[in-house]
Amino acid sequence: MKGVMIQGTASDVGKSLIVTALCRLFANDGVKVVPFKSQNMSNNSYVTKDGKEIGRAQGIQAEAAKIEATVWMNPILLKPRSNQDSEVVYLGKSLKTLSGRGYRDTFYEKGLEVIQKSLNQLSSEYELVVIEGAGSPVEINLKDRELVNMKVAELADVPVILVADIDRGGVFASIVGTLELLEPEERQRVAGIIINKFRGDISLFEDGIQWLEKKTGIPVLGVLPYVEKHMIDGEDSLSLSNQFSNRKKGNLDIAVIHLPFVSNYSDLEPFLYEEDVSIRWVKHPSDFGNPDAVIIPGTKSTIHDLNTLRDRQLDNLIQNHIEHGGYVVGICGGYQILGEEIIDEMGSDTGIPNKSVAGLGWIPGRTIFYDEKETVRAAGVYHENTGLITNGKLEGYEIHLGKTQLHQPGCSFLALENGKEEGYYGKNGQIIGTYLHHLFHNDEWRNHWLNMIRKSKGLHSKETIYISEYKDKRYDEIAGKMRAHLNFEQLNDIIHKWCSK
């Protein structure tokens, strides 16, 4: 197989962004390239064209590679449902929920089989596979049954490029320590090093490059700059939090409730393109402040997170916010939380059949959880009862076990292409609930909603920002920045030589 694997000395060193940039670099050079990650652990997911669920990062990397995402790019997705258990999504479909121990003990051989099958499928369709690892390849307590790093490099038989984050400090120790903890045959597979997130004058690091190459015998292929506001969807809420905190304060203040098992937080990223919008996470009452709007995002564990929200007394703050004319949007699990009642009929949310809890009571409806998960791309227009004028259709995707039934007629938000009514639209848009993930990626809708808030504050309306065009340009800009700071010719040489061995 012709390919390369990007591994890191730790989590959040920039592996996903580097793979994304490499996919666009190779695609721009006319190479039929494909991303791959054997196993993802994230509640931030992506729905493929055929209604399958994969990790969000691989969906974005497929966009950068200018191809359609498929389940072969991420055959195993683990979605945490508690501190102990995760839902196992296998080839795009929910398989079962397992504890960490249960997964390690019972899934390893099945995992190896589907990883090899996926690699074979991709290598038959594409010229080059760019593989992303996870965390660190030297987690000693997990190495014997790992499915994400050196075992995958061995199955694919590709060279490994080790990435380290200089911004967090300790870059020399993290690189040398990682290499020292690898088995000899694993270390021989590491063919290059990339230093990521460098700030300042690169000439001041030249001695460091020379020391590393002499100490390890491995070439440093590049020192990549810290990319501010890269606008590429993050794989975890930490990366999104960093982008939130790096923004200047705007006239509109949007508070996002940080649920313990928050999912699909890529729903929020379009607000990063709006210069007058400040967006921030709220975990505790002291964080709440006096926002103009509140968003309750999706969650992998609705009842658990609703109880946590109540325990932290955020429910009272949300109630006060709405009573004083503030806007609120609930997406997926957030929609369910805003309703009157949640019934876990099959135990698919809590593991306790027929468990029920009262919701926040702002949407006249109840949610019932079933066994079968719905994963589908969806599109529609504003429901006629909203009084809104549709300019084109709204598009997104749905991923949910619960189904919400409204008690009050004439209050749906959307009329979908499949003939169904979807969501809730109340108080002239002050309260909205929907299962449509990526609602705010619809540029004209996002602009309309923000203009409603601007108007309520006595501010001028703004023109629509079309982020889809901007985002594709960012793929090219980031790829260009990588080419300028990476010895791309040497990387290509490593790949070709390894493949011809």
Side-chain angles (χ1 to χ4, degrees), residues 257-260 282-286 304-317:
I257 306 301
H258 195 296
L259 304 171
V282 171
K283 289 187 178 181
H284 304 285
S286 59
H304 172 278
D305 285 2
L306 169 58
N307 289 335
T308 301
L309 185 151
R310 280 202 169 101
D311 290 343
R312 295 175 179 173
Q313 299 184 326
L314 288 168
D315 57 330
N316 295 329
L317 293 174

Side-chain angles (χ1 to χ4, degrees), residues 33-67:
V33 61
V34 63
F36 178 75
K37 187 167 185 175
S38 56
Q39 174 185 287
N40 232 325
M41 178 171 277
S42 176
N43 278 331
N44 217 21
S45 55
Y46 184 100
V47 174
T48 62
K49 193 173 184 178
D50 56 352
K52 304 292 179 61
E53 192 176 3
I54 64 172
R56 182 75 196 157
Q58 281 62 63
I60 293 302
Q61 289 158 4
E63 290 178 7
K66 305 179 183 181
I67 56 176

